[in-house]
Amino acid sequence: MKGHKIVQVEDYEKHVGSKTIERIREKAKPLQDFHIVNVNSTYYGGGVSELLSSMTLLMNGLGIDTGWRTVHGPPDFFSITKKMHNALQGGKINLSSRKMQIYEDVTYENAIRNHLDHDIVIVHDPQPLPLIEHYRKKGPWIWRCHIDLSHPDKKLWKYLSKFVEKYDASIVSIKEYAQDIRTPQMIFMPAIDPFSIINKDMSEEEIDERLTHYNIPTDLPLVVQVSRFDRWKDPEGVIKAFKLARKEVDATLVLLGNVATDDPEGVDVYNSLLSEKEERIIILSHQDGALVNALQRRATVVLQKSLREGFGLTVSEAMWKGTPVIGGNVGGIRYQIEDEVNGFLVSSVQEAADRIVQLLKNEKLCAQLGSRARETVRENFLMTRYLEQYLDLFNSFETNFRLRTMIGTVR
Ligand code: UDP
């Protein structure tokens, strides 16, 4: 359409080199006109929707017809799936038959209204997982789980693995999340889109404009955490660490969060933090990618003090901007931050506070860690790497399916 343009793999050339782009184009060739669909449970809020926004467009740009649908359901459904999410990350759940009934019934209703006869179906996270029960498969089905599965509630996992085992492959974000199941498992770490509103370059004027718009003062250094309002992101811990650090250094804390449509707990978490607001502790709930970008760029220190974290796109996002990140020593954060090399990993409020102080007092250290951080992301966490992993997987299916068809013909 005139005047409109989407990001193409070629746009990545300046970051990843021409060889990578050529390789990706080659790998996409056998998949021309393939019809692929992704199913998840929210169009915005959270890392999965960020990944899908960029990935579906890149794949279409490569000639692979790739769609994206979401499952719908009443609040009860999302309250149950959020409890499952929590229990998969090590929390507790009372897995009653009522919960399982609602979960399966609502998924069935979604199966009725979604006609999935695609060449490949990719189902994301537990919310739409049981969909597979209700289709005659035309091609492979993949379950892509984005959450931290290192300590799943055993009973819940046993129940969900019944569905997972019907898939042709499953993908988790790091090797520690692999499970003892029959389904072949792949490890794909997520990645960021350097051209999205959240990550694209911004001028100092544009950054100032966003920060002024929300009355965020910039007279003191900014300490920032950007996260959905979720207990696993430990916003309380961030505030405590900031209060300790402030005894030694002057700074402003900004906690920016949003609430995903599939996360009914977000509002309560946000409300529970409001009593902590002060002149120098700013807590904002907005859906504004350019504000995320501006904060990650202007911050002296970004925190992602999660207690559990499937991957944590916010870590790579800030690292890409050359900002040093203090991350919780958990899950996917450990694969992005190498402690004391391109950022810091912490396991307690006190450690986080100490690292905040150290960074706020040492501009040179910030610059050193920040430049290594950007290079880490350029090498490992840009969308082209993730895309190529998907293409390799699709091509391996393609070969298998072609072989199967040929064997079928011979017989
Ligand atoms: N995000 C946002 N606004 C916010 C908070 C988060 O746009 O107020 C974005 C954030 O920049 C990142 C994604 O939401 O792209 C969160 O992904 P992440 O993997 O860090 O965590 P998840 O929410 O999936 O647990």
Side-chain angles (χ1 to χ4, degrees):
M1 202 187 293
K2 209 172 158 214
H4 295 281
K5 150 178 185 310
I6 59 163
V7 172
Q8 302 283 343
V9 277
E10 281 72 20
D11 294 311
Y12 283 76
E13 188 172 329
K14 61 177 182 243
H15 300 308
V16 300
S18 56
K19 284 217 168 65
T20 303
I21 306 303
E22 279 163 33
R23 221 174 42 235
I24 288 176
R25 283 257 168 224
E26 274 309 304
K27 289 180 178 179
K29 274 188 191 156
L31 301 166
Q32 294 307 294
D33 302 325
F34 252 56
H35 196 194
I36 296 178
V37 67
N38 290 273
V39 187
N40 83 321
S41 58
T42 180
Y43 277 126
Y44 88 92
V48 182
S49 55
E50 279 302 312
L51 289 167
L52 283 172
S53 301
S54 304
M55 187 60 87
T56 48
L57 293 179
L58 269 183
M59 285 189 182
N60 279 288
L62 286 169
I64 308 166
D65 298 339
T66 311
W68 172 12
R69 303 194 191 181
T70 59
V71 288
H72 305 252
D76 292 19
F77 174 75
F78 288 111
S79 141
I80 292 165
T81 55
K82 177 70 190 195
K83 287 195 173 91
M84 288 183 174
H85 173 108
N86 288 340
L88 287 173
Q89 297 214 130
K92 290 205 179 336
I93 187 170
N94 163 24
L95 190 62
S96 59
S97 48
R98 186 193 72 90
K99 287 197 183 77
M100 292 186 276
Q101 187 78 47
I102 293 176
Y103 177 55
E104 292 183 35
D105 284 352
V106 172
T107 315
Y108 176 63
E109 289 163 12
N110 277 276
I112 296 292
R113 56 171 99 83
N114 278 288
H115 310 123
L116 305 182
D117 59 354
H118 299 68
D119 300 307
I120 298 177
V121 179
I122 310 173
V123 171
H124 298 259
D125 284 339
Q127 298 90 339
L129 172 65
L131 278 178
I132 195 161
E133 299 250 90
H134 309 295
Y135 294 90
R136 190 177 302 133
K137 286 197 269 171
K138 187 177 157 200
W141 279 54
I142 302 165
W143 187 52
R144 200 319 177 200
C145 181
H146 298 263
I147 57 191
D148 182 338
L149 284 183
S150 51
H151 304 85
D153 177 273
K154 286 205 172 67
K155 192 171 159 209
L156 174 62
W157 178 253
K158 196 165 168 228
Y159 166 63
L160 294 179
S161 59
K162 262 189 351 205
F163 304 115
V164 180
E165 290 196 332
K166 297 198 164 144
Y167 284 75
D168 298 279
S170 75
I171 305 171
V172 290
S173 294
I174 60 174
K175 63 177 186 305
E176 287 81 352
Y177 304 160
Q179 303 295 315
D180 186 14
I181 47 171
R182 289 194 299 263
T183 317
Q185 292 170 87
M186 323 268 154
I187 319 281
F188 292 4
M189 282 194 277
I192 64 159
D193 173 354
F195 308 106
S196 67
I197 295 175
I198 288 178
N199 295 315
K200 69 181 183 188
D201 291 341
M202 276 180 107
S203 66
E204 292 301 314
E205 293 71 38
E206 286 169 327
I207 297 173
D208 283 335
E209 187 279 323
R210 274 301 78 189
L211 300 182
T212 311
H213 182 83
Y214 291 99
N215 296 321
I216 297 168
T218 51
D219 53 335
L220 294 177
L222 292 179
V223 176
V224 167
Q225 175 158 303
V226 175
S227 283
R228 273 183 308 109
F229 288 109
D230 180 330
R231 301 253 175 246
W232 297 114
K233 311 283 184 183
D234 200 19
E236 296 90 351
V238 171
I239 295 170
K240 280 189 193 140
F242 178 75
K243 285 184 173 168
L244 285 175
R246 201 171 45 177
K247 292 181 182 162
E248 288 188 52
V249 283
D250 251 354
T252 304
L253 174 67
V254 182
L255 278 183
L256 170 65
N258 58 1
V259 177
T261 55
D262 61 349
D263 181 357
E265 292 175 359
V267 175
D268 291 344
V269 174
Y270 173 68
N271 287 334
S272 74
L273 298 171
L274 292 180
S275 59
E276 299 285 356
K277 270 186 164 180
E278 296 175 14
E279 193 196 343
R280 294 293 172 181
I281 299 183
I282 298 172
I283 302 172
L284 301 171
S285 175
H286 295 291
Q287 184 61 40
D288 184 341
L291 176 62
V292 173
N293 195 337
L295 281 170
Q296 289 171 335
R297 283 182 193 280
R298 185 57 63 78
T300 303
V301 181
V302 162
L303 284 151
Q304 189 53 61
K305 216 203 129 325
S306 307
L307 305 170
R308 290 272 196 276
E309 190 64 75
F311 179 71
L313 283 177
T314 49
V315 174
S316 272
E317 288 167 1
M319 289 171 74
W320 176 245
K321 294 161 186 125
T323 306
V325 182
I326 301 173
N329 190 4
V330 293
I333 298 179
R334 287 183 181 155
Y335 284 81
Q336 299 172 76
I337 298 180
E338 191 180 342
D339 193 29
E340 301 191 29
V341 174
N342 60 7
F344 289 122
L345 290 171
V346 295
S347 302
S348 67
V349 165
Q350 186 62 54
E351 273 177 44
D354 292 345
R355 292 307 193 186
I356 295 173
V357 173
Q358 186 182 1
L359 286 169
L360 290 184
K361 283 183 171 172
N362 191 339
E363 214 174 300
K364 204 169 141 206
L365 178 63
C366 288
Q368 252 172 16
L369 296 177
S371 81
R372 289 194 207 121
R374 180 168 168 103
E375 190 50 22
T376 303
V377 176
R378 197 189 61 72
E379 281 175 8
N380 305 301
F381 299 115
L382 293 184
M383 200 55 81
T384 34
R385 190 264 304 146
Y386 193 43
L387 170 67
E388 198 172 347
Q389 287 179 297
Y390 268 114
L391 298 183
D392 286 340
L393 176 61
F394 298 161
N395 278 316
S396 75
F397 284 132
E398 178 39 355
T399 322
N400 284 339
F401 268 75
R402 224 185 280 140
L403 274 176
R404 265 188 241 165
T405 322
M406 278 162 60
I407 294 166
T409 321
V410 174
R411 278 177 188 164

